[in-house]
């Protein structure tokens, strides 16, 4: 879906993240090189992304590592980071208020 879907994922350290996947993101800062180890999405490498204003972690950019895999890239945004940004910067977006996700 181009509107995104919310799901919960647990990383290798046992930390759960509620993640909204979206096809585009207006502005972000990427940290490091794409990594395939422990990817939430087989066939995709992840790169940490941060807020362009404060640099805090907001999620990951997932890039296809398999020829022809669609989409070629997408973003996974951490709900708690988005909620925090909404509070800090006054955004009125309610993207997470509809809980239309599925379990991973």
């Amino acid at each position: 879906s181009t509107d995104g879907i919310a799901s919960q994922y647990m990383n290798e350290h046992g930390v759960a993240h509620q993640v909204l996947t979206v096809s585009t993101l207006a502005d972000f800062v990427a940290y490091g090189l794409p990594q395939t180890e422990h990817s939430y999405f087989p066939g995709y490498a992840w790169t940490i992304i941060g807020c362009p204003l404060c640099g805090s972690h907001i999620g990951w950019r997932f890039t296809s590592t398999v020829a022809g895999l669609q989409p070629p890239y997408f973003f996974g945004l951490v709900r708690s980071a988005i909620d925090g940004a909404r509070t800090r910067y006054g955004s009125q977006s309610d993207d997470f208020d509809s809980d239309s996700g599925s379990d991973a």
Side-chain angles (χ1 to χ4, degrees):
S1 167
T2 58
D3 294 333
I5 190 164
S7 298
Q8 187 159 321
Y9 299 94
M10 187 168 302
N11 70 17
E12 71 276 12
H13 304 292
V15 177
H17 295 284
Q18 187 173 14
V19 176
L20 173 71
T21 55
V22 296
S23 59
T24 60
L25 188 60
D27 201 6
F28 63 92
V29 178
Y31 299 105
L33 299 173
Q35 305 290 316
T36 56
E37 187 175 23
H38 305 296
S39 180
Y40 295 146
F41 303 97
Y44 288 89
W46 54 269
T47 305
I48 294 173
I49 59 172
C51 172
L53 297 175
C54 68
S56 64
H57 175 245
I58 59 171
W60 306 268
R61 180 176 193 227
F62 291 93
T63 307
S64 172
T65 60
V66 178
L69 186 60
Q70 293 295 318
Y73 66 89
F74 63 93
F75 300 89
L77 304 176
V78 178
R79 180 181 181 141
S80 59
I82 302 305
D83 288 346
R86 187 183 308 163
T87 300
R88 283 190 303 274
Y89 303 115
S91 171
Q92 299 301 311
S93 174
D94 290 329
D95 292 340
F96 280 109
D97 291 345
S98 63
D99 205 14
S100 62
S102 65
D103 293 336

